[in-house]
């Protein structure tokens, strides 16, 4: 049997992605076969397509990509299981982050380890569920596991209008007497206000590190500022966590973090995501109505290059979804 998938045969741009019919995978003894209903686009996919930063080609393939089918996040239905799988049965709705399990969600079917997925929230659609595993866990692990964000603290999210920011502010709002500031572009300010940020900053007009304000925690999805600039915006004992963005800045922060602590004990961290760690906890928050994903737009599988192009434009508000079973035109961000 065959299936449809988006494949990458050479590094380049989204225009080098191809929509093809290939052989449907068969699960190994310890794998589940998932019929994919939805996925989402992330910086991971953009980096793989471009083969950047170049050192990543040591893992991805130097001249051409070893990874043919991308897709970090998945939401779908288990169609078959290997004989050693204990947790799932055909018909179970599952979702998860595949970044530690060879990706593969830009296709109608994928095989993966049962540890790569969890039971899907009962109150969400497939599209909504696909918006959660990667972005939600970046926010959760940064705020809970590293920063230990708690009641009475202040938080700034740089790149607040995207998937991580939309979920991060909701996780922060679970604590009492907190104050959140969101930083993003002009076109996202209204969206961030709707997310209930206490203050929004337009980075095209103001540099948040030069406003004389300091925060207990800074969650950075863009990594556009130097460690010295960031230090000005951190309170004594403040914690900075970057989860992605400018790779040169990330390397700079990773290298200098051990030297950046001073007598005021400001801390700098680069989050190394642990895929699916905390996903069941996040599922409980979603089912309890405390966390709701924001969807920017939806594209059918064959229009994945258009979804990647929208990601590159950096104007998305929330997550960009690949509705794998969809055949209609994409839902615009204004609908």
């Amino acid at each position: 049997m065959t299936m449809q998938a988006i494949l990458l045969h050479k590094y380049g741009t989204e225009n080098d992605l191809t929509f093809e019919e290939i052989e449907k995978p068969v699960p190994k003894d310890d794998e589940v076969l998932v019929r994919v209903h939805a996925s989402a686009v992330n910086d991971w996919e953009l980096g793989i397509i471009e083969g950047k930063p170049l050192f990543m080609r040591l893992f991805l393939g130097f001249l051409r990509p070893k990874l043919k089918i991308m897709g970090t996040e998945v939401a779908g239905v288990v169609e078959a299981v290997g004989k050693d799988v204990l947790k799932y049965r055909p018909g179970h709705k599952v979702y998860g982050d595949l970044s530690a399990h060879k990706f593969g969600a830009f296709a109608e079917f994928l095989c993966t380890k049962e540890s790569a997925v969890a039971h899907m929230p009962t109150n969400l659609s497939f599209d909504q569920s696909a918006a959660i595993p990667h972005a939600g866990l970046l926010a959760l692990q940064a705020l809970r596991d590293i920063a230990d964000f708690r009641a009475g603290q202040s938080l700034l999210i740089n790149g607040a209008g995207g998937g991580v920011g939309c979920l991060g502010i909701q996780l922060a709002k679970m604590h009492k007497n907190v104050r959140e500031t969101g930083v993003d572009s002009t076109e996202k300010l209204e969206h961030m206000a709707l997310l209930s940020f206490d203050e929004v900053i337009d980075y095209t007009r103001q540099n948040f590190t030069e406003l004389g304000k300091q925060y207990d925690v800074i969650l950075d999805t863009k990594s556009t500022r130097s460690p010295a600039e960031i230090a000005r915006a951190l309170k004594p004992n403040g914690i900075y966590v970057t989860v992605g963005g400018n790779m040169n800045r990330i390397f700079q922060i990773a290298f200098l973090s051990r030297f950046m602590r001073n007598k005021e004990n400001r801390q700098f961290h680069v989050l190394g995501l642990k895929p699916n760690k905390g996903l069941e906890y996040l599922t409980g928050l979603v089912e309890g109505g405390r966390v709701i994903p924001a969807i920017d737009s939806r594209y059918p599988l064959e229009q994945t290059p258009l979804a990647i192009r929208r990601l590159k434009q950096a104007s998305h508000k929330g997550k960009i979804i690949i509705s794998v079973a969809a055949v209609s035109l994409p839902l615009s961000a204004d609908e």
Side-chain angles (χ1 to χ4, degrees):
M1 294 185 64
T2 60
M3 68 174 186
Q4 293 178 320
I6 295 290
L7 274 71
L8 178 69
H9 295 289
K10 64 178 182 178
Y11 296 119
T13 72
E14 68 275 7
N15 296 326
D16 293 301
L17 295 172
T18 58
F19 183 58
E20 301 180 27
E21 190 163 311
I22 62 173
E23 186 175 352
K24 178 181 173 182
V26 176
K28 298 177 182 178
D29 290 347
D30 60 347
E31 291 183 335
V32 294
L33 173 66
V34 178
R35 181 179 183 88
V36 181
H37 283 248
S39 185
V41 296
N42 296 278
D43 288 342
W44 266 114
E45 282 80 38
L46 184 56
I48 293 170
I49 291 170
E50 295 178 346
K52 296 178 181 178
L54 289 177
F55 83 89
M56 287 299 296
R57 295 194 185 193
L58 296 173
F59 310 98
L60 298 174
F62 189 73
L63 297 178
R64 59 182 60 86
K66 298 176 183 177
L67 179 69
K68 301 299 183 184
I69 304 177
M70 296 176 294
T72 307
E73 290 163 301
V74 64
V77 177
V78 175
E79 182 161 289
V81 300
K83 67 180 182 65
D84 296 333
V85 173
L86 302 175
K87 189 174 180 180
Y88 303 107
R89 291 290 177 265
H92 282 166
K93 294 180 179 181
V94 295
Y95 78 144
D97 180 332
L98 305 171
S99 58
H101 298 274
K102 300 181 180 180
F103 301 82
F106 291 172
E108 291 183 301
F109 296 90
L110 67 86
C111 288
T112 192
K113 305 285 187 182
E114 63 178 322
S115 60
V117 291
H119 288 286
M120 206 176 88
T122 56
N123 58 336
L124 294 188
S125 68
F126 290 107
D127 285 0
Q128 290 173 311
S129 296
I132 291 174
H134 191 69
L137 290 176
L138 284 172
L140 179 67
Q141 292 177 23
L143 293 176
R144 184 189 68 175
D145 300 346
I146 295 181
D148 189 25
F149 187 74
R150 53 191 182 274
Q153 291 191 313
S154 57
L155 168 70
L156 180 139
I157 302 179
N158 187 31
V164 175
C166 291
L167 295 171
I169 184 176
Q170 295 178 66
L171 293 173
K173 286 287 187 185
M174 290 166 46
H175 303 283
K176 295 180 179 180
N177 302 318
V178 296
R179 183 170 181 82
E180 301 96 348
T181 298
V183 180
D184 218 308
S185 58
T186 308
E187 59 195 344
K188 297 186 183 182
L189 297 186
E190 183 178 351
H191 170 66
M192 291 191 294
L194 292 174
L195 292 171
S196 298
F197 278 96
D198 298 298
E199 180 183 6
V200 295
I201 297 173
D202 183 347
Y203 76 81
T204 68
R205 298 181 179 181
Q206 294 178 302
N207 179 344
F208 73 87
T209 69
E210 296 177 347
L211 299 179
K213 297 181 180 180
Q214 293 185 318
Y215 306 89
D216 294 296
V217 176
I218 295 177
L219 170 59
D220 199 345
T221 73
K222 298 300 182 183
S223 305
T224 51
R225 304 296 177 185
S226 70
E229 290 178 293
I230 292 296
R232 292 199 300 261
L234 270 182
K235 290 181 179 180
N237 300 308
I239 297 176
Y240 168 87
V241 188
T242 176
V243 300
N246 185 294
M247 290 303 300
N248 290 330
R249 290 295 194 201
I250 291 174
F251 289 137
Q252 188 180 37
I253 292 163
F255 177 74
L256 295 175
S257 61
R258 69 186 68 182
F259 309 109
M260 289 296 294
R261 291 194 187 192
N262 53 28
K263 63 182 180 180
E264 294 182 326
N265 197 36
R266 295 181 176 91
Q267 300 179 37
F268 292 76
H269 300 269
V270 176
L271 175 67
L273 180 69
K274 299 176 177 63
N276 298 317
K277 178 180 180 290
L279 186 56
E280 292 184 356
Y281 170 76
L282 203 54
T283 301
L285 296 180
V286 171
E287 292 181 336
R290 305 185 74 179
V291 172
I292 302 172
I295 294 179
D296 171 85
S297 48
R298 297 177 176 90
Y299 293 81
L301 181 62
E302 61 269 28
Q303 292 186 8
T304 297
L306 296 181
I308 298 292
R309 192 170 304 157
R310 178 155 181 82
L311 179 72
K312 288 172 64 175
Q313 293 168 348
S315 58
H316 55 287
K317 308 173 187 71
K319 294 286 287 188
I320 303 167
I321 299 300
I322 305 298
S323 296
V324 175
V327 295
S328 59
L329 293 175
L331 173 69
S332 73
D334 296 324
E335 289 186 76

